[in-house]
């Protein structure tokens, strides 16, 4: 088991994540297998049970462990460990901190927070998920975590917190979180942007909350008002029909995965029609501008070539090329260089603070 845990830390670091000594100690100490007692689902849909030989090696790898499906789609999981590490590092948790987590899931992230010395309240909208997290935390002998069943929009508690971490994709930040956050507090949350959920660090200031980008991420979406559509929403991810190449490749070699995400973020900050779309006979999704039909438009590939379809193919091709040119001419700004002020929007009966007016800073 010691070898498995050592290998686990190496796997987490392999993506370029630097683990502080406290984080490395927490990942080494908390037994992740205790939080998935009924096994998990692999990406190919296969169920892995604790008795299977691949159970422990997968638990101690850098993989997401999907623990619950709803109509075949994941609705609860233990997130990717390297992403948890980046988010916990950004949260800057000190011993004694009071932390609210939205999305208890398996309870594993709450256990890591408690091991870092925090007192944790974790909330899940699914009662059976919250019950299982509570049992797992007890079995693992973790103290200092309270698990509640509630929609995280309201939090279901009147306590005050130093830190709030959101482990499910949201469209914005609940005003109830800000009401319960200490003045120098911090929220770390994956907030929808151009079809993905980059993780944002949100702080309150004299002019209201403001956001800075922490890292790229993809999360399952939250239930309820936390994912309400708003004036700045991008089109939902789509599958595009037959497409033809309407602009040639511009980069050789093609952008690597990180630079492509940087371009994606910038394109989304500049244009509200940017999202992601699956393209026929290709096995990943791409940065795309969708027209009003939601199923046609232009997709930009990592080499800068553009495939397009539909009546506005030419116009969207020109927009995609212009966005790529703008990003390139600014020196390929990384995601972390972006900041936004936030505005109250969403469902008028349950509003959320959403990013507005993204701008670049010189100090990522
Ligand atoms: C990716 S999992 C969380 C992972 C978890 N932190 C862990 O360590 O295992 C996302 C969880 O968010 C929960 N969720 C979805 N919408 C929610 C909402 N509005 N309020 C609270 N929890 C929500 C889901 O039920 C799911 O269990």
């Amino acid at each position: 088991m010691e070898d498995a845990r050592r290998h686990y830390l190496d796997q987490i670091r392999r993506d370029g994540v630097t683990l502080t000594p406290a984080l490395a100690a927490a990942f080494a100490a908390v037994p992740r297998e205790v939080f998935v007692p009924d096994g998990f689902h692999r990406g190919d849909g296969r169920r892995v049970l604790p008795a299977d030989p691949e159970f422990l090696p997968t638990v101690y790898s850098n993989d997401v462990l999907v623990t619950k499906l709803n109509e075949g789609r994941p609705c609860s999981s233990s997130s990717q460990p390297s992403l948890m590490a980046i988010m916990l590092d950004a949260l800057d948790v000190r011993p004694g901190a009071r932390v609210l987590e939205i999305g208890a899931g398996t309870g594993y992230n709450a256990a890591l927070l408690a091991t870092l010395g925090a007192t944790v309240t974790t909330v899940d909208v699914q009662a059976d998920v919250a019950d299982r997290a509570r049992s797992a935390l007890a079995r693992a002998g973790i103290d200092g975590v309270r698990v509640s069943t509630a929609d995280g929009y309201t939090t279901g508690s009147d306590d005050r917190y130093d830190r709030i971490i959101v482990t499910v994709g949201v469209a914005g930040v609940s005003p109830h979180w800000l009401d319960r956050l200490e003045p120098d507090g911090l929220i770390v949350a994956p907030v929808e942007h151009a079809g993905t959920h980059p993780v944002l660090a949100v702080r309150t200031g004299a002019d209201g909350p403001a956001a800075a980008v922490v890292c790229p991420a993809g999360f399952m979406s939250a239930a309820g008002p936390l994912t309400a559509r708003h004036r700045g929403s991008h089109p939902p991810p789509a599958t595009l029909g037959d497409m033809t190449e309407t602009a040639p490749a511009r980069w050789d070699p093609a952008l690597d995965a990180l630079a492509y995400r940087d371009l994606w973020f910038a394109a989304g900050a500049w244009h509200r029609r940017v999202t992601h779309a699956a393209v026929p006979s290709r096995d990943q999704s791409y940065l795309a501008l969708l027209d009003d039909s939601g199923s046609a438009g232009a997709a930009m590939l990592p080499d800068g070539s553009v495939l397009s379809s539909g009546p506005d193919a030419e116009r969207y091709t020109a927009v995609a090329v212009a966005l790529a040119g703008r990003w390139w001419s600014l020196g390929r700004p990384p995601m972390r260089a972006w900041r936004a002020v936030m505005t109250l929007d969403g469902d008028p009966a349950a509003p959320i603070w959403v990013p507005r007016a993204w701008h670049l800073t010189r100090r990522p």
Side-chain angles (χ1 to χ4, degrees):
M1 186 56 93
E2 250 179 49
D3 277 356
R5 300 264 178 95
R6 223 183 347 264
H7 173 73
Y8 185 43
L9 298 187
D10 291 343
Q11 292 277 305
I12 295 172
R13 290 189 181 107
R14 228 174 53 176
D15 276 355
V17 174
T18 311
L19 289 175
T20 60
L23 266 178
F27 276 102
V30 179
R32 195 181 187 203
E33 70 278 17
V34 173
F35 294 85
V36 288
D38 303 321
F40 48 83
H41 303 268
R42 296 197 68 112
D44 59 10
R46 208 157 41 83
R47 181 95 184 261
V48 177
L49 297 169
D52 292 335
E54 69 208 271
F55 178 76
L56 274 182
T58 313
V59 165
Y60 287 107
S61 72
N62 194 25
D63 280 357
V64 178
L65 307 176
V66 173
T67 46
K68 187 174 173 188
L69 299 173
N70 181 13
E71 294 178 358
R73 299 175 64 141
C75 66
S76 196
S77 64
S78 169
S79 307
Q80 188 180 33
S82 57
L83 179 56
M84 282 190 267
I86 294 170
M87 291 178 71
L88 290 171
D89 190 42
L91 199 64
D92 187 23
V93 179
R94 308 283 163 88
R98 291 155 302 164
V99 179
L100 171 66
E101 181 189 42
I102 308 297
T106 62
Y108 178 61
N109 194 54
L112 293 170
L113 282 162
T115 308
L116 290 168
T119 304
V120 186
T121 299
T122 184
V123 179
D124 206 288
V125 72
Q126 303 187 75
D128 60 327
V129 170
D131 287 347
R132 278 198 292 275
R134 205 175 290 113
S135 307
L137 286 156
R139 274 198 312 278
I142 304 284
D143 293 327
V145 182
R146 188 179 63 184
V147 184
S148 345
T149 302
D151 187 315
Y153 178 77
T154 56
T155 77
S157 117
D158 290 331
D159 294 347
R160 295 193 67 77
Y161 299 99
D162 303 299
R163 298 284 185 267
I164 298 177
I165 183 166
V166 183
T167 59
V168 62
V170 294
V173 163
S174 167
H176 298 285
W177 305 344
L178 294 169
D179 289 348
R180 288 173 182 75
L181 193 64
E182 293 294 355
D184 57 350
L186 170 66
I187 299 174
V188 171
V191 178
E192 199 278 329
H193 175 87
T196 68
H197 291 104
V199 175
L200 305 185
V202 176
R203 294 176 190 276
T204 46
D207 302 326
V213 181
V214 174
C215 67
F219 271 86
M220 60 184 68
S221 287
L226 290 171
T227 42
R229 293 198 60 79
H230 56 85
R231 276 168 291 176
S233 289
H234 293 258
T239 300
L240 293 168
D242 280 345
M243 308 185 83
T244 47
E245 185 175 299
T246 41
R250 63 191 293 160
W251 297 305
D252 182 14
L255 299 177
D256 64 26
L258 277 181
Y260 187 58
R261 287 185 199 168
D262 292 339
L263 165 65
W264 194 321
F265 193 94
W270 287 322
H271 204 291
R272 288 287 169 222
R273 302 301 310 169
V274 174
T275 185
H276 71 87
V279 172
S281 68
R282 293 178 188 255
D283 57 3
Q284 67 177 87
S285 69
Y286 295 97
L287 185 176
L289 287 131
L290 298 187
D291 67 15
D292 288 338
S293 75
S295 58
M300 176 162 276
L301 275 45
D303 65 5
S305 60
V306 179
L307 308 177
S308 63
S309 63
D312 290 322
E314 207 174 306
R315 182 159 67 87
Y316 279 111
T317 299
V319 175
V321 168
L323 291 171
R326 184 173 175 187
W327 175 74
W328 189 264
S329 67
L330 285 171
R332 311 176 7 149
M335 253 190 189
R336 288 177 62 94
W338 288 93
R339 304 282 183 275
V341 293
M342 300 179 92
T343 187
L344 211 50
D345 206 317
D347 177 355
I352 46 176
W353 288 94
V354 301
R356 177 174 59 87
W358 283 105
H359 60 276
L360 279 169
T361 164
R362 283 179 185 278
R363 286 181 292 116

